[in-house]
Amino acid sequence: MNGRDILGPVAASGATNAIKLLVATLAFAGAYVGVEATQHASVSAQATDAGTSAPERPAQRITLQSRAVPVTTDRLPKTGTITVSAAGFTAPCAKELHVQSVVANPDPDDTVLYGWRLQRWSEATKTWKPYLTARSGFAGARKVAEWHPRVVNNPGWYRVELSVTGAGAVRSERFQVSC
């Protein structure tokens, strides 16, 4: 068996996987576009230590509603600020959040990596516990980084953390999600 006999099935398998990935991406994009927007709640961010407890901070409440109210905002956050808004819902107690911040890259010719973390306050341990995470990166001077985490059937106190390689972490103020 020579090299050409092996490459044919491998190339066909790769093309099939690429088509499956494209179909899955289009399905996800269609589902995302179908989500209606709801109320807007902006939360500012500030650098804090990991040991800061929830009760010491002011709160912003995001209430899950039974009908959608469109969000209309064109203001972008400043670098070092995280905005959190209720982007929509798909069920009575399933909330999609729209989180964004501006990430500045100190070396635009190199890639900067960043990560989002949605944390939930645990009354049992009196600590912030990881709920959802996401990672990404880009090359360039700056980017409006966006994330759309979903909270399903889990009301409580939350905050968002944005970590940028070489720059540390910024945390939003806490906010409450309720049904």
Side-chain angles (χ1 to χ4, degrees):
M1 198 180 229
N2 65 26
R4 289 185 182 164
D5 293 336
I6 295 173
L7 290 179
V10 170
S13 173
T16 301
N17 286 338
I19 290 170
K20 287 179 183 177
L21 181 59
L22 176 62
V23 169
T25 302
L26 290 174
F28 177 79
Y32 175 75
V33 170
V35 173
E36 290 182 313
T38 184
Q39 69 187 40
H40 176 72
S42 181
V43 180
S44 64
Q46 64 186 25
T48 62
D49 9 320
T52 305
S53 65
E56 299 174 11
R57 297 194 182 183
Q60 176 68 41
R61 172 179 231 122
I62 298 174
T63 304
L64 298 177
Q65 300 179 349
S66 60
R67 64 186 179 95
V69 179
V71 174
T72 55
T73 181
D74 56 357
R75 293 180 46 178
L76 294 177
K78 297 177 184 176
T79 303
T81 301
I82 297 172
T83 61
V84 179
S85 52
F89 61 93
T90 56
C93 197
K95 175 62 75 184
E96 180 178 356
L97 304 174
H98 179 213
V99 180
Q100 66 179 0
S101 185
V102 175
V103 177
N105 186 353
D107 184 3
D109 295 328
D110 198 9
T111 301
V112 65
L113 301 175
Y114 62 92
W116 295 105
R117 184 179 311 171
L118 180 62
Q119 298 173 322
R120 187 173 188 283
W121 178 253
S122 169
E123 281 296 323
T125 63
K126 303 291 186 209
T127 59
W128 290 102
K129 299 285 187 177
Y131 186 73
L132 294 172
T133 61
R135 302 225 177 267
S136 194
F138 69 96
R142 59 184 283 203
K143 176 183 178 178
V144 177
E146 296 182 281
W147 186 36
H148 295 273
R150 292 181 60 186
V151 177
V152 179
N153 295 329
N154 204 356
W157 290 98
Y158 291 86
R159 72 178 182 189
V160 177
E161 180 180 88
L162 173 63
S163 304
V164 180
T165 303
V170 175
R171 291 178 190 90
S172 71
E173 294 292 332
R174 69 185 178 124
F175 57 93
Q176 187 175 29
V177 174
S178 59
C179 294

